[in-house]
Amino acid sequence: MSAQPPAARYALNLLLNPAGELLLIRRVETARLGPGLWGLPAGKIEAGETPAEAALREMEEEIGPGHETRLVRYLGPLRDTYYGGIYEIHLFQRHWLAGEVRLNHEHSAFAWVAPERFRDYPVMDGIDEDIALLGLWPQRWLNPARIPPALREGAP
């Protein structure tokens, strides 16, 4: 990681249902960051909050309370590649067990997306990389231009 302190820290939830589909949520058109793009239940880690606490809080805020998930894998802290490494990210891969998605005012739609349909969704920067980092799906379903060269399948 960079020697410089991060400009901000983020917790991201990659939720997969039993069919192996990833939950994507669409940001409203008036959003400051990524208007109209598809993203993940994620957000900034607040002062005094652990990455795990932030991940759970963001899930509840963005997709509603009362759902059940099981943590499969955690990866972090990492530095972003799209903004020059100024952000610290924490990835939480979760298996969706039960509940219903109830979006907050920041989102206009949700979709459970199969790997072969992923490219149909205009996603926020970094989502392809997050999927590749966790090895959720074969990279043939991702946009290779959105994965750092060192992370691409077959890279030395």
Side-chain angles (χ1 to χ4, degrees):
M1 270 203 323
S2 170
Q4 295 293 323
R9 301 166 61 223
Y10 292 93
L12 296 86
N13 294 288
L14 290 91
L15 296 156
L16 293 167
N17 68 16
E21 298 166 321
L22 178 67
L23 178 65
L24 293 179
I25 52 179
R26 188 172 187 266
R27 299 188 53 79
V28 294
E29 294 292 337
T30 56
R32 184 185 59 78
L33 180 64
L37 296 177
W38 293 84
L40 304 167
K44 201 175 210 180
I45 300 170
E46 312 227 339
E49 192 174 45
T50 68
E53 291 167 341
L56 292 173
R57 177 184 51 77
E58 288 293 342
M59 271 198 305
E60 185 167 308
E61 287 177 6
E62 295 187 356
I63 62 172
H67 47 272
E68 292 179 52
T69 65
R70 177 177 49 82
L71 180 63
V72 174
R73 186 168 177 213
Y74 164 73
L75 190 59
L78 306 166
R79 287 297 181 118
D80 73 275
T81 60
Y82 283 93
Y83 303 100
I86 64 170
Y87 299 118
E88 181 182 285
I89 60 172
H90 297 261
L91 303 177
F92 294 85
Q93 177 187 345
R94 299 180 186 279
H95 180 75
W96 184 267
L97 299 170
E100 74 178 77
V101 176
R102 289 174 283 183
L103 299 173
N104 69 3
H105 66 280
E106 298 172 348
H107 300 92
S108 61
F110 75 92
W112 289 101
V113 179
E116 61 272 12
R117 298 289 319 274
F118 179 73
R119 286 195 196 188
D120 296 341
Y121 291 79
V123 295
M124 296 178 71
D125 288 342
I127 304 293
D128 292 77
E129 180 179 7
D130 298 337
I131 293 168
L133 282 164
L134 288 170
L136 298 184
W137 299 330
Q139 289 186 18
R140 71 178 178 272
W141 302 116
L142 307 177
N143 181 343
R146 296 174 66 101
I147 301 172
L151 188 58
R152 291 184 192 144
E153 288 176 348

